Amino acid sequence: MIMPREKRVIQKEDIMSLDVYTQQRKELRKKIVEFKKNRRVPVGPYATFYFESFETMLAQVQEMLYIEKGGDEQLKDELSAYNPLVPNGKELTATLMFEIDNPVSRAAFLGKVGGIEEKVYMKIDGDLIKAVPEEDVDRTSAEGKASSVQFIHFKFSEQQIEKFKSLSSQIEIGINHKEYSHTTKLSEATVKSLIADFN
C-alpha cells in the first residue's frame, strides 16, 4: 500500500551536492528516463505531453545546477521556475511540446495555433476537465503565435480522482483547436504512473 504523499515542493535539502550528483548522474539519469517513459503521451503528429512530478522536476533542477554551476543563487531561480509544476495532490501537470524539426514548418504551424493552450482537455468517461495553462507565463504572443513549449495543469475534483484511480475508466487527453484537433486514450501504464501524483 502506497502511503499518500503530502504536497511536496522541492527544497534545498532535497538537492544533492554537485560532486555527489556528478558521481551518480549517469545512473540517476537512466532511472529518470525509465520513469518518464510511461509519462510521455503524443497527441496527433506534433504535440507531446510530458507529465511532470516531484521526481521529474527534481531531476530537472539537479541537471540545471550541474550544467550551469550557479550554486545557491541559481537554485532559488530554478526552484521558483520548477516548483509550480510539481503536482499538488489534486492535479496533474504536464509540459506540452510541439515538436517539428523543420524551423520553417514549425514557425508556420505555431503561427496558426495561437491560444492552443486554452484548448487542451482531459476526459474521464466523457467527463471533461479543461486544462489550465501555467499562470505566470504568457504562452501566445501578441501576434497570435503559440510558444512551442506550454505548461499545463489539469485540476480534478475528488470524484474525478476516484474515477482516475479506479483503473476502469476510459481516460483521454486531447486538443480541440480549429487548426489542430486530436485526441489520445491514455494507456494503462500511463494511468498507473500518473495515479502516484494524487494524494
Side-chain angles (χ1 to χ4, degrees):
M1 167 78 186
I2 298 167
M3 292 304 291
R5 244 202 337 221
E6 289 307 305
K7 154 74 174 150
R8 288 207 59 192
V9 290
I10 301 165
Q11 289 164 334
K12 190 177 175 180
E13 50 269 28
D14 296 314
I15 304 294
M16 287 179 183
S17 67
L18 198 55
D19 48 344
V20 173
Y21 181 69
T22 304
Q23 282 168 4
Q24 297 184 15
R25 180 170 177 259
K26 200 173 164 195
E27 192 52 38
L28 289 165
R29 283 177 66 74
K30 212 164 78 182
K31 276 188 187 146
I32 203 77
V33 164
E34 194 54 41
F35 174 71
K36 282 178 165 183
K37 221 184 262 173
N38 292 327
R39 302 175 70 90
R40 178 184 174 278
V41 181
V43 176
Y46 305 136
T48 306
F49 289 86
Y50 295 90
F51 281 94
E52 303 300 0
S53 68
F54 182 85
E55 293 80 4
T56 67
M57 290 293 94
L58 180 60
Q60 184 68 29
V61 171
Q62 288 277 189
E63 191 60 15
M64 296 306 284
L65 292 168
Y66 171 81
I67 293 165
E68 293 175 21
K69 303 191 175 34
D72 280 358
E73 208 39 56
Q74 183 195 352
L75 177 60
K76 277 201 294 254
D77 292 342
E78 301 298 351
L79 293 183
S80 66
Y82 292 112
N83 264 329
L85 286 171
V86 176
N88 66 13
K90 296 189 181 332
E91 65 173 356
L92 296 174
T93 63
T95 301
L96 165 57
M97 294 177 123
F98 295 103
E99 298 169 308
I100 303 170
D101 290 340
N102 180 312
V104 177
S105 308
R106 184 170 59 237
F109 173 76
L110 294 172
K112 287 193 303 196
V113 295
I116 196 164
E117 67 277 13
E118 304 289 344
K119 305 288 185 186
V120 176
Y121 64 89
M122 209 177 254
K123 274 185 186 172
I124 302 178
D125 291 338
D127 188 3
L128 187 71
I129 298 159
K130 206 172 159 326
V132 181
E134 180 62 42
E135 285 154 8
D136 66 332
V137 212
D138 204 3
R139 293 286 154 190
T140 293
S141 70
E143 304 79 58
K145 180 176 187 283
S147 166
S148 62
V149 180
Q150 308 276 352
F151 301 112
I152 301 285
H153 296 256
F154 296 94
K155 298 179 187 294
F156 290 74
S157 68
E158 291 297 337
Q159 198 181 4
Q160 288 164 336
I161 292 172
E162 286 314 308
K163 276 187 173 178
F164 197 102
K165 288 177 168 179
S166 73
L167 288 178
S168 61
S169 297
Q170 165 116 346
I171 302 171
E172 296 167 65
I173 188 168
I175 299 172
N176 182 19
H177 187 282
K178 62 182 191 323
E179 297 290 343
Y180 194 86
S181 188
H182 296 277
T183 180
T184 299
K185 184 175 180 291
L186 297 191
S187 71
E188 191 175 329
T190 296
V191 172
K192 281 180 173 165
S193 182
L194 297 183
I195 284 172
D197 299 350
F198 294 116
N199 279 346

PDB file of all heavy atoms in Angstrom, residues 119-150:
ATOM      1  N   LYS A 119      -7.096  25.240 -25.256  1.00  0.00           N
ATOM      2  CA  LYS A 119      -7.954  24.244 -25.931  1.00  0.00           C
ATOM      3  C   LYS A 119      -7.567  22.810 -25.583  1.00  0.00           C
ATOM      4  O   LYS A 119      -7.847  21.874 -26.319  1.00  0.00           O
ATOM      5  CB  LYS A 119      -7.847  24.410 -27.467  1.00  0.00           C
ATOM      6  CG  LYS A 119      -8.164  25.807 -27.972  1.00  0.00           C
ATOM      7  CD  LYS A 119      -9.632  26.092 -27.877  1.00  0.00           C
ATOM      8  CE  LYS A 119      -9.989  27.441 -28.492  1.00  0.00           C
ATOM      9  NZ  LYS A 119     -11.397  27.765 -28.254  1.00  0.00           N
ATOM     10  N   VAL A 120      -6.870  22.657 -24.467  1.00  0.00           N
ATOM     11  CA  VAL A 120      -6.391  21.334 -24.053  1.00  0.00           C
ATOM     12  C   VAL A 120      -7.360  20.772 -23.004  1.00  0.00           C
ATOM     13  O   VAL A 120      -7.856  21.525 -22.167  1.00  0.00           O
ATOM     14  CB  VAL A 120      -4.970  21.461 -23.462  1.00  0.00           C
ATOM     15  CG1 VAL A 120      -4.479  20.123 -22.922  1.00  0.00           C
ATOM     16  CG2 VAL A 120      -4.003  22.007 -24.512  1.00  0.00           C
ATOM     17  N   TYR A 121      -7.617  19.490 -23.061  1.00  0.00           N
ATOM     18  CA  TYR A 121      -8.566  18.909 -22.102  1.00  0.00           C
ATOM     19  C   TYR A 121      -8.214  17.450 -21.814  1.00  0.00           C
ATOM     20  O   TYR A 121      -7.442  16.817 -22.529  1.00  0.00           O
ATOM     21  CB  TYR A 121     -10.005  18.985 -22.648  1.00  0.00           C
ATOM     22  CG  TYR A 121     -10.201  18.167 -23.907  1.00  0.00           C
ATOM     23  CD1 TYR A 121     -10.570  16.816 -23.850  1.00  0.00           C
ATOM     24  CD2 TYR A 121      -9.973  18.724 -25.174  1.00  0.00           C
ATOM     25  CE1 TYR A 121     -10.718  16.058 -25.004  1.00  0.00           C
ATOM     26  CE2 TYR A 121     -10.113  17.971 -26.328  1.00  0.00           C
ATOM     27  CZ  TYR A 121     -10.484  16.635 -26.239  1.00  0.00           C
ATOM     28  OH  TYR A 121     -10.610  15.875 -27.374  1.00  0.00           O
ATOM     29  N   MET A 122      -8.833  16.955 -20.754  1.00  0.00           N
ATOM     30  CA  MET A 122      -8.789  15.530 -20.460  1.00  0.00           C
ATOM     31  C   MET A 122     -10.231  15.091 -20.261  1.00  0.00           C
ATOM     32  O   MET A 122     -11.053  15.894 -19.824  1.00  0.00           O
ATOM     33  CB  MET A 122      -7.975  15.303 -19.185  1.00  0.00           C
ATOM     34  CG  MET A 122      -7.288  13.972 -19.136  1.00  0.00           C
ATOM     35  SD  MET A 122      -6.274  13.797 -17.653  1.00  0.00           S
ATOM     36  CE  MET A 122      -4.648  13.956 -18.334  1.00  0.00           C
ATOM     37  N   LYS A 123     -10.517  13.852 -20.585  1.00  0.00           N
ATOM     38  CA  LYS A 123     -11.868  13.327 -20.343  1.00  0.00           C
ATOM     39  C   LYS A 123     -11.751  12.027 -19.579  1.00  0.00           C
ATOM     40  O   LYS A 123     -10.954  11.158 -19.935  1.00  0.00           O
ATOM     41  CB  LYS A 123     -12.581  13.042 -21.676  1.00  0.00           C
ATOM     42  CG  LYS A 123     -13.293  14.227 -22.267  1.00  0.00           C
ATOM     43  CD  LYS A 123     -14.058  13.794 -23.514  1.00  0.00           C
ATOM     44  CE  LYS A 123     -14.673  15.010 -24.201  1.00  0.00           C
ATOM     45  NZ  LYS A 123     -15.246  14.603 -25.506  1.00  0.00           N
ATOM     46  N   ILE A 124     -12.558  11.918 -18.521  1.00  0.00           N
ATOM     47  CA  ILE A 124     -12.632  10.659 -17.772  1.00  0.00           C
ATOM     48  C   ILE A 124     -14.051  10.145 -17.954  1.00  0.00           C
ATOM     49  O   ILE A 124     -14.994  10.763 -17.451  1.00  0.00           O
ATOM     50  CB  ILE A 124     -12.332  10.888 -16.279  1.00  0.00           C
ATOM     51  CG1 ILE A 124     -10.947  11.524 -16.114  1.00  0.00           C
ATOM     52  CG2 ILE A 124     -12.398   9.578 -15.512  1.00  0.00           C
ATOM     53  CD1 ILE A 124     -10.571  11.838 -14.705  1.00  0.00           C
ATOM     54  N   ASP A 125     -14.194   9.062 -18.687  1.00  0.00           N
ATOM     55  CA  ASP A 125     -15.532   8.551 -19.037  1.00  0.00           C
ATOM     56  C   ASP A 125     -16.426   9.664 -19.573  1.00  0.00           C
ATOM     57  O   ASP A 125     -17.592   9.792 -19.186  1.00  0.00           O
ATOM     58  CB  ASP A 125     -16.201   7.888 -17.807  1.00  0.00           C
ATOM     59  CG  ASP A 125     -15.507   6.594 -17.418  1.00  0.00           C
ATOM     60  OD1 ASP A 125     -14.833   6.004 -18.289  1.00  0.00           O
ATOM     61  OD2 ASP A 125     -15.625   6.181 -16.258  1.00  0.00           O
ATOM     62  N   GLY A 126     -15.861  10.505 -20.407  1.00  0.00           N
ATOM     63  CA  GLY A 126     -16.651  11.570 -21.032  1.00  0.00           C
ATOM     64  C   GLY A 126     -16.787  12.832 -20.179  1.00  0.00           C
ATOM     65  O   GLY A 126     -17.298  13.855 -20.639  1.00  0.00           O
ATOM     66  N   ASP A 127     -16.335  12.776 -18.916  1.00  0.00           N
ATOM     67  CA  ASP A 127     -16.397  13.944 -18.027  1.00  0.00           C
ATOM     68  C   ASP A 127     -15.212  14.867 -18.355  1.00  0.00           C
ATOM     69  O   ASP A 127     -14.061  14.469 -18.239  1.00  0.00           O
ATOM     70  CB  ASP A 127     -16.313  13.423 -16.576  1.00  0.00           C
ATOM     71  CG  ASP A 127     -16.569  14.509 -15.557  1.00  0.00           C
ATOM     72  OD1 ASP A 127     -16.870  15.652 -15.946  1.00  0.00           O
ATOM     73  OD2 ASP A 127     -16.444  14.210 -14.339  1.00  0.00           O
ATOM     74  N   LEU A 128     -15.515  16.094 -18.764  1.00  0.00           N
ATOM     75  CA  LEU A 128     -14.485  16.995 -19.308  1.00  0.00           C
ATOM     76  C   LEU A 128     -13.732  17.752 -18.219  1.00  0.00           C
ATOM     77  O   LEU A 128     -14.340  18.338 -17.326  1.00  0.00           O
ATOM     78  CB  LEU A 128     -15.159  17.996 -20.255  1.00  0.00           C
ATOM     79  CG  LEU A 128     -14.216  18.913 -21.041  1.00  0.00           C
ATOM     80  CD1 LEU A 128     -13.467  18.144 -22.118  1.00  0.00           C
ATOM     81  CD2 LEU A 128     -15.005  20.066 -21.660  1.00  0.00           C
ATOM     82  N   ILE A 129     -12.403  17.726 -18.300  1.00  0.00           N
ATOM     83  CA  ILE A 129     -11.542  18.543 -17.423  1.00  0.00           C
ATOM     84  C   ILE A 129     -10.740  19.455 -18.332  1.00  0.00           C
ATOM     85  O   ILE A 129      -9.906  18.992 -19.107  1.00  0.00           O
ATOM     86  CB  ILE A 129     -10.602  17.645 -16.591  1.00  0.00           C
ATOM     87  CG1 ILE A 129     -11.426  16.733 -15.686  1.00  0.00           C
ATOM     88  CG2 ILE A 129      -9.630  18.491 -15.781  1.00  0.00           C
ATOM     89  CD1 ILE A 129     -10.688  15.520 -15.216  1.00  0.00           C
ATOM     90  N   LYS A 130     -11.017  20.731 -18.230  1.00  0.00           N
ATOM     91  CA  LYS A 130     -10.345  21.698 -19.110  1.00  0.00           C
ATOM     92  C   LYS A 130      -8.983  22.031 -18.497  1.00  0.00           C
ATOM     93  O   LYS A 130      -8.892  22.273 -17.292  1.00  0.00           O
ATOM     94  CB  LYS A 130     -11.222  22.948 -19.190  1.00  0.00           C
ATOM     95  CG  LYS A 130     -11.061  23.749 -20.441  1.00  0.00           C
ATOM     96  CD  LYS A 130     -12.133  24.850 -20.468  1.00  0.00           C
ATOM     97  CE  LYS A 130     -11.738  25.986 -21.385  1.00  0.00           C
ATOM     98  NZ  LYS A 130     -10.354  26.334 -21.506  1.00  0.00           N
ATOM     99  N   ALA A 131      -7.949  22.024 -19.299  1.00  0.00           N
ATOM    100  CA  ALA A 131      -6.610  22.335 -18.785  1.00  0.00           C
ATOM    101  C   ALA A 131      -6.499  23.812 -18.434  1.00  0.00           C
ATOM    102  O   ALA A 131      -7.147  24.660 -19.040  1.00  0.00           O
ATOM    103  CB  ALA A 131      -5.571  21.988 -19.836  1.00  0.00           C
ATOM    104  N   VAL A 132      -5.666  24.096 -17.447  1.00  0.00           N
ATOM    105  CA  VAL A 132      -5.396  25.474 -17.052  1.00  0.00           C
ATOM    106  C   VAL A 132      -3.920  25.746 -17.345  1.00  0.00           C
ATOM    107  O   VAL A 132      -3.040  25.092 -16.776  1.00  0.00           O
ATOM    108  CB  VAL A 132      -5.657  25.660 -15.529  1.00  0.00           C
ATOM    109  CG1 VAL A 132      -5.398  27.104 -15.123  1.00  0.00           C
ATOM    110  CG2 VAL A 132      -7.066  25.214 -15.166  1.00  0.00           C
ATOM    111  N   PRO A 133      -3.614  26.702 -18.248  1.00  0.00           N
ATOM    112  CA  PRO A 133      -2.199  26.996 -18.524  1.00  0.00           C
ATOM    113  C   PRO A 133      -1.526  27.613 -17.291  1.00  0.00           C
ATOM    114  O   PRO A 133      -2.186  28.285 -16.502  1.00  0.00           O
ATOM    115  CB  PRO A 133      -2.254  28.015 -19.672  1.00  0.00           C
ATOM    116  CG  PRO A 133      -3.663  28.010 -20.171  1.00  0.00           C
ATOM    117  CD  PRO A 133      -4.526  27.509 -19.048  1.00  0.00           C
ATOM    118  N   GLU A 134      -0.238  27.371 -17.136  1.00  0.00           N
ATOM    119  CA  GLU A 134       0.549  27.962 -16.043  1.00  0.00           C
ATOM    120  C   GLU A 134       0.395  29.483 -16.083  1.00  0.00           C
ATOM    121  O   GLU A 134       0.570  30.103 -17.123  1.00  0.00           O
ATOM    122  CB  GLU A 134       2.014  27.541 -16.213  1.00  0.00           C
ATOM    123  CG  GLU A 134       2.965  28.055 -15.162  1.00  0.00           C
ATOM    124  CD  GLU A 134       2.651  27.561 -13.758  1.00  0.00           C
ATOM    125  OE1 GLU A 134       2.327  26.378 -13.576  1.00  0.00           O
ATOM    126  OE2 GLU A 134       2.718  28.400 -12.849  1.00  0.00           O
ATOM    127  N   GLU A 135       0.078  30.079 -14.933  1.00  0.00           N
ATOM    128  CA  GLU A 135      -0.334  31.484 -14.927  1.00  0.00           C
ATOM    129  C   GLU A 135       0.766  32.488 -15.229  1.00  0.00           C
ATOM    130  O   GLU A 135       0.536  33.486 -15.878  1.00  0.00           O
ATOM    131  CB  GLU A 135      -0.920  31.848 -13.548  1.00  0.00           C
ATOM    132  CG  GLU A 135      -2.305  31.280 -13.340  1.00  0.00           C
ATOM    133  CD  GLU A 135      -2.624  31.071 -11.876  1.00  0.00           C
ATOM    134  OE1 GLU A 135      -1.828  31.505 -11.011  1.00  0.00           O
ATOM    135  OE2 GLU A 135      -3.677  30.470 -11.595  1.00  0.00           O
ATOM    136  N   ASP A 136       1.974  32.213 -14.733  1.00  0.00           N
ATOM    137  CA  ASP A 136       2.959  33.295 -14.774  1.00  0.00           C
ATOM    138  C   ASP A 136       3.573  33.503 -16.153  1.00  0.00           C
ATOM    139  O   ASP A 136       4.413  34.356 -16.332  1.00  0.00           O
ATOM    140  CB  ASP A 136       4.074  33.025 -13.758  1.00  0.00           C
ATOM    141  CG  ASP A 136       4.889  31.802 -14.135  1.00  0.00           C
ATOM    142  OD1 ASP A 136       4.314  30.926 -14.793  1.00  0.00           O
ATOM    143  OD2 ASP A 136       6.068  31.730 -13.799  1.00  0.00           O
ATOM    144  N   VAL A 137       3.170  32.694 -17.120  1.00  0.00           N
ATOM    145  CA  VAL A 137       3.826  32.795 -18.422  1.00  0.00           C
ATOM    146  C   VAL A 137       2.778  33.021 -19.500  1.00  0.00           C
ATOM    147  O   VAL A 137       1.786  32.307 -19.549  1.00  0.00           O
ATOM    148  CB  VAL A 137       4.564  31.475 -18.781  1.00  0.00           C
ATOM    149  CG1 VAL A 137       5.785  31.749 -19.617  1.00  0.00           C
ATOM    150  CG2 VAL A 137       4.935  30.675 -17.555  1.00  0.00           C
ATOM    151  N   ASP A 138       3.018  33.987 -20.350  1.00  0.00           N
ATOM    152  CA  ASP A 138       2.088  34.192 -21.455  1.00  0.00           C
ATOM    153  C   ASP A 138       2.567  33.339 -22.608  1.00  0.00           C
ATOM    154  O   ASP A 138       3.669  33.524 -23.110  1.00  0.00           O
ATOM    155  CB  ASP A 138       2.054  35.680 -21.845  1.00  0.00           C
ATOM    156  CG  ASP A 138       0.745  36.019 -22.527  1.00  0.00           C
ATOM    157  OD1 ASP A 138      -0.100  35.118 -22.618  1.00  0.00           O
ATOM    158  OD2 ASP A 138       0.577  37.158 -22.977  1.00  0.00           O
ATOM    159  N   ARG A 139       1.734  32.408 -23.051  1.00  0.00           N
ATOM    160  CA  ARG A 139       2.192  31.404 -23.999  1.00  0.00           C
ATOM    161  C   ARG A 139       1.776  31.657 -25.439  1.00  0.00           C
ATOM    162  O   ARG A 139       2.099  30.892 -26.312  1.00  0.00           O
ATOM    163  CB  ARG A 139       1.691  30.023 -23.553  1.00  0.00           C
ATOM    164  CG  ARG A 139       2.346  29.590 -22.264  1.00  0.00           C
ATOM    165  CD  ARG A 139       3.770  29.175 -22.515  1.00  0.00           C
ATOM    166  NE  ARG A 139       4.606  29.340 -21.340  1.00  0.00           N
ATOM    167  CZ  ARG A 139       5.908  29.234 -21.347  1.00  0.00           C
ATOM    168  NH1 ARG A 139       6.550  28.995 -22.456  1.00  0.00           N
ATOM    169  NH2 ARG A 139       6.594  29.400 -20.250  1.00  0.00           N
ATOM    170  N   THR A 140       1.008  32.715 -25.657  1.00  0.00           N
ATOM    171  CA  THR A 140       0.705  33.104 -27.037  1.00  0.00           C
ATOM    172  C   THR A 140       1.119  34.562 -27.156  1.00  0.00           C
ATOM    173  O   THR A 140       0.738  35.381 -26.326  1.00  0.00           O
ATOM    174  CB  THR A 140      -0.795  32.932 -27.353  1.00  0.00           C
ATOM    175  OG1 THR A 140      -1.108  31.535 -27.321  1.00  0.00           O
ATOM    176  CG2 THR A 140      -1.143  33.459 -28.735  1.00  0.00           C
ATOM    177  N   SER A 141       1.903  34.884 -28.178  1.00  0.00           N
ATOM    178  CA  SER A 141       2.400  36.252 -28.315  1.00  0.00           C
ATOM    179  C   SER A 141       1.277  37.178 -28.777  1.00  0.00           C
ATOM    180  O   SER A 141       0.218  36.727 -29.227  1.00  0.00           O
ATOM    181  CB  SER A 141       3.538  36.289 -29.342  1.00  0.00           C
ATOM    182  OG  SER A 141       2.993  36.047 -30.629  1.00  0.00           O
ATOM    183  N   ALA A 142       1.532  38.459 -28.691  1.00  0.00           N
ATOM    184  CA  ALA A 142       0.545  39.467 -29.129  1.00  0.00           C
ATOM    185  C   ALA A 142       0.174  39.259 -30.594  1.00  0.00           C
ATOM    186  O   ALA A 142      -0.931  39.565 -31.029  1.00  0.00           O
ATOM    187  CB  ALA A 142       1.098  40.862 -28.892  1.00  0.00           C
ATOM    188  N   GLU A 143       1.096  38.704 -31.378  1.00  0.00           N
ATOM    189  CA  GLU A 143       0.819  38.468 -32.816  1.00  0.00           C
ATOM    190  C   GLU A 143       0.024  37.183 -33.023  1.00  0.00           C
ATOM    191  O   GLU A 143      -0.229  36.788 -34.160  1.00  0.00           O
ATOM    192  CB  GLU A 143       2.113  38.364 -33.642  1.00  0.00           C
ATOM    193  CG  GLU A 143       3.075  39.547 -33.550  1.00  0.00           C
ATOM    194  CD  GLU A 143       3.897  39.519 -32.274  1.00  0.00           C
ATOM    195  OE1 GLU A 143       4.613  38.529 -32.015  1.00  0.00           O
ATOM    196  OE2 GLU A 143       3.805  40.510 -31.502  1.00  0.00           O
ATOM    197  N   GLY A 144      -0.304  36.485 -31.923  1.00  0.00           N
ATOM    198  CA  GLY A 144      -1.104  35.264 -32.065  1.00  0.00           C
ATOM    199  C   GLY A 144      -0.280  34.020 -32.359  1.00  0.00           C
ATOM    200  O   GLY A 144      -0.789  33.016 -32.828  1.00  0.00           O
ATOM    201  N   LYS A 145       1.025  34.075 -32.063  1.00  0.00           N
ATOM    202  CA  LYS A 145       1.882  32.908 -32.308  1.00  0.00           C
ATOM    203  C   LYS A 145       2.018  32.127 -30.995  1.00  0.00           C
ATOM    204  O   LYS A 145       2.305  32.696 -29.952  1.00  0.00           O
ATOM    205  CB  LYS A 145       3.253  33.405 -32.786  1.00  0.00           C
ATOM    206  CG  LYS A 145       4.260  32.311 -33.091  1.00  0.00           C
ATOM    207  CD  LYS A 145       5.542  32.949 -33.659  1.00  0.00           C
ATOM    208  CE  LYS A 145       6.521  31.895 -34.142  1.00  0.00           C
ATOM    209  NZ  LYS A 145       7.249  31.230 -33.066  1.00  0.00           N
ATOM    210  N   ALA A 146       1.793  30.830 -31.072  1.00  0.00           N
ATOM    211  CA  ALA A 146       1.904  29.987 -29.866  1.00  0.00           C
ATOM    212  C   ALA A 146       3.369  29.693 -29.572  1.00  0.00           C
ATOM    213  O   ALA A 146       4.195  29.638 -30.482  1.00  0.00           O
ATOM    214  CB  ALA A 146       1.149  28.685 -30.082  1.00  0.00           C
ATOM    215  N   SER A 147       3.664  29.466 -28.290  1.00  0.00           N
ATOM    216  CA  SER A 147       5.001  29.016 -27.916  1.00  0.00           C
ATOM    217  C   SER A 147       5.094  27.509 -28.177  1.00  0.00           C
ATOM    218  O   SER A 147       4.096  26.796 -28.069  1.00  0.00           O
ATOM    219  CB  SER A 147       5.222  29.299 -26.434  1.00  0.00           C
ATOM    220  OG  SER A 147       6.352  28.591 -25.979  1.00  0.00           O
ATOM    221  N   SER A 148       6.294  27.025 -28.496  1.00  0.00           N
ATOM    222  CA  SER A 148       6.436  25.582 -28.754  1.00  0.00           C
ATOM    223  C   SER A 148       6.457  24.777 -27.457  1.00  0.00           C
ATOM    224  O   SER A 148       6.395  23.557 -27.478  1.00  0.00           O
ATOM    225  CB  SER A 148       7.703  25.305 -29.562  1.00  0.00           C
ATOM    226  OG  SER A 148       8.818  25.720 -28.819  1.00  0.00           O
ATOM    227  N   VAL A 149       6.555  25.462 -26.308  1.00  0.00           N
ATOM    228  CA  VAL A 149       6.520  24.784 -25.011  1.00  0.00           C
ATOM    229  C   VAL A 149       5.438  25.437 -24.150  1.00  0.00           C
ATOM    230  O   VAL A 149       5.428  26.656 -23.988  1.00  0.00           O
ATOM    231  CB  VAL A 149       7.882  24.897 -24.271  1.00  0.00           C
ATOM    232  CG1 VAL A 149       7.824  24.187 -22.924  1.00  0.00           C
ATOM    233  CG2 VAL A 149       9.000  24.314 -25.121  1.00  0.00           C
ATOM    234  N   GLN A 150       4.547  24.624 -23.628  1.00  0.00           N
ATOM    235  CA  GLN A 150       3.455  25.118 -22.782  1.00  0.00           C
ATOM    236  C   GLN A 150       3.477  24.330 -21.465  1.00  0.00           C
ATOM    237  O   GLN A 150       3.813  23.149 -21.460  1.00  0.00           O
ATOM    238  CB  GLN A 150       2.097  24.854 -23.462  1.00  0.00           C
ATOM    239  CG  GLN A 150       1.979  25.349 -24.881  1.00  0.00           C
ATOM    240  CD  GLN A 150       1.609  26.823 -24.950  1.00  0.00           C
ATOM    241  OE1 GLN A 150       1.294  27.441 -23.945  1.00  0.00           O
ATOM    242  NE2 GLN A 150       1.655  27.383 -26.142  1.00  0.00           N
TER     243      GLN A 150
END
